[in-house]
Amino acid sequence: SNIIQIIKARTIMGFVPNFASGLKKSEDRTEPPVGARILREIYNKYKDRWLVELLYDDLMNWNDWFWNHRRLAPLGLICLGSDPNLPNWNDGSVNTLQGARFESGLDNSPMYDPPVQFDSTTHQMQLYDVGFNSMFLMECEALIELGTILGHTEQVKILTARHDTIFKLLSSNLWDQERGIFVNKISTSGQFYFRLSPTLFYPMLVKAATSEQADLMMKHLTSESGLCVHKTGQNYNCTWALPSIAINDPAYFDNNYWRGRIWGPMVQLVYWGLREYDSVPSVRDARLNLIEQSKQLLLKEWFSEGHVHENYNSTTGEGDDVGNSDPFYHWGALLGFIGILEQGYY
């Protein structure tokens, strides 16, 4: 299956590569850590213990690598990076800011535009990234649950300690009370760097926000100048939910890849996070509205052209308007999958 192929492609350093083929793989950088969460979802559905046993050690090695190579001083939060590892290969981005951007999976996101910098000595982006720290915590939680099933007591203790450390650092350092949302922070200056993106809602995946904080965060998610989540048919100055950068961000109108377009994986992760706060009315409303808006976006070109796009124009809802949006791409279906999850069909 895909999950076996991807996780078993890990490098000699122990991490799942950003890309891999029969000829080469990215030895310098990994990708967003979601493997253990996906494995847990598969196990909870099918109870295939053999699959957990097959992949658990690989996922634990990946977590070890994050802990040892992607903690940024002085706070020790998780960061992005690009290491000049052997075997020696270079696509022009190794040990550069762009290599670290590639590791985020958000190749050209404006969240990593200047003043964000890269230290070529430590091989780390000088930014405490809300999204990556949240996904690392999500992986720890999934590995703790799966490790408990397998009886891996010592690994569960290690993971619990790591989780508690990063959880406290995230909660105490990256919450911006003035803006009412978690915000990325420049490590060298300690200053918040606010570019509103769906990744700022990823702390909800691990319930790092209190109920009161989650309620405050919804003003950004539902704003007409923010991420446009609203009830279908409502009189809004925007139509489609969850652009990869806020509508009022200067990069939004670039409409190029992660600069303004809508992506299924972001929708999936934000949905999972919103689902953790069902008891908060504003969050519940936003979740249900996101489901409907995402379904309508998916069906727009499916009915007209049979397309399920890699990404979509956030203003028009089109996928065909650019050349770098594959018209039949697996994760585009996540726009409809969240509704299937909501209805309990998976």
Side-chain angles (χ1 to χ4, degrees):
S1 73
N2 287 336
I3 191 169
I4 296 173
Q5 183 69 26
I6 291 168
I7 294 172
K8 287 296 183 181
R10 68 184 181 91
T11 69
I12 58 174
M13 294 297 294
F15 61 84
V16 174
N18 182 256
F19 72 85
S21 70
L23 299 176
K24 60 182 179 179
K25 62 182 70 173
S26 60
E27 303 286 350
D28 68 311
R29 59 184 180 262
T30 188
E31 58 185 13
V34 298
R37 173 63 187 259
I38 299 304
L39 180 59
R40 187 182 72 178
E41 294 292 319
I42 294 171
Y43 176 79
N44 287 341
K45 174 68 174 177
Y46 299 106
K47 305 302 180 185
D48 284 334
R49 183 186 175 96
W50 68 267
L51 185 60
V52 179
E53 292 173 340
L54 178 67
L55 299 177
Y56 190 85
D57 287 346
D58 296 306
L59 290 167
M60 187 69 200
N61 286 336
W62 192 15
N63 193 277
D64 290 340
W65 176 84
F66 266 110
W67 192 252
N68 294 324
H69 295 273
R70 288 294 184 265
R71 295 183 68 209
L72 178 61
L75 294 180
L77 280 158
I78 301 297
C79 68
L80 298 162
S82 172
D83 300 331
N85 292 324
L86 294 174
N88 191 21
W89 76 286
N90 201 332
D91 61 354
S93 67
V94 173
N95 201 29
T96 69
L97 178 61
Q98 186 56 54
R101 293 174 79 135
F102 284 148
E103 183 165 85
S104 74
L106 317 177
D107 302 358
N108 66 340
S109 172
M111 289 191 296
Y112 310 124
D113 286 355
V116 177
Q117 297 180 340
F118 182 84
D119 186 328
S120 60
T121 301
T122 63
H123 323 303
Q124 295 175 336
M125 185 186 290
Q126 303 298 286
L127 183 77
Y128 299 125
D129 186 271
V130 170
F132 239 61
N133 278 278
S134 300
M135 287 186 286
F136 176 81
L137 287 169
M138 179 179 70
E139 289 293 275
C140 286
E141 291 184 356
L143 285 170
I144 288 168
E145 183 176 328
L146 295 171
T148 301
I149 291 167
L150 297 181
H152 293 339
T153 306
E154 291 305 313
Q155 288 171 314
V156 168
K157 288 180 181 178
I158 292 169
L159 290 161
T160 301
R162 289 176 183 174
H163 174 277
D164 292 350
T165 297
I166 298 300
F167 189 95
K168 290 174 184 176
L169 288 170
L170 171 67
S171 301
S172 60
N173 290 282
L174 301 187
W175 173 258
D176 185 341
Q177 184 61 37
E178 180 180 347
R179 294 185 175 93
I181 195 170
F182 291 89
V183 177
N184 296 339
K185 182 178 283 188
I186 304 291
S187 64
T188 50
S189 67
Q191 299 297 309
F192 285 119
Y193 181 44
F194 183 60
R195 307 292 291 263
L196 179 60
S197 158
T199 65
L200 302 188
F201 295 86
Y202 291 2
M204 300 177 79
L205 287 160
V206 292
K207 303 199 77 169
T210 65
S211 295
E212 292 74 18
Q213 288 173 332
D215 182 59
L216 286 173
M217 293 166 71
M218 292 305 99
K219 68 182 180 182
H220 298 284
L221 192 67
T222 61
S223 170
E224 294 174 278
S225 60
L227 299 183
C228 193
V229 174
H230 65 278
K231 189 175 182 63
T232 301
Q234 200 170 10
N235 186 21
Y236 249 53
N237 290 324
C238 58
T239 302
W240 305 106
L242 220 67
S244 49
I245 203 70
I247 293 169
N248 61 3
D249 191 288
Y252 172 82
F253 290 100
D254 290 352
N255 184 39
N256 178 25
Y257 231 50
W258 297 98
R259 303 177 80 86
R261 294 180 73 81
I262 296 170
W263 293 74
M266 279 184 161
V267 171
Q268 179 70 61
L269 288 165
V270 170
Y271 167 78
W272 270 335
L274 296 176
R275 199 170 62 176
E276 295 294 329
Y277 294 83
D278 188 60
S279 62
V280 181
S282 61
V283 180
R284 177 177 172 78
D285 289 345
R287 185 182 86 240
L288 297 177
N289 291 335
L290 177 62
I291 291 168
E292 182 61 26
Q293 286 177 282
S294 299
K295 181 183 76 173
Q296 294 301 325
L297 178 61
L298 173 66
L299 294 178
K300 186 176 187 294
E301 273 199 28
W302 174 251
F303 283 146
S304 64
E305 300 183 60
H307 290 178
V308 178
H309 270 272
E310 179 183 6
N311 54 73
Y312 291 85
N313 186 307
S314 306
T315 303
T316 66
E318 296 177 3
D320 277 341
D321 61 313
V322 295
N324 57 355
S325 175
D326 193 299
F328 205 72
Y329 205 83
H330 59 292
W331 66 39
L334 293 173
L335 296 171
F337 184 61
I338 60 172
I340 293 172
L341 286 174
E342 183 73 17
Q343 295 299 319
Y345 294 129
Y346 179 86

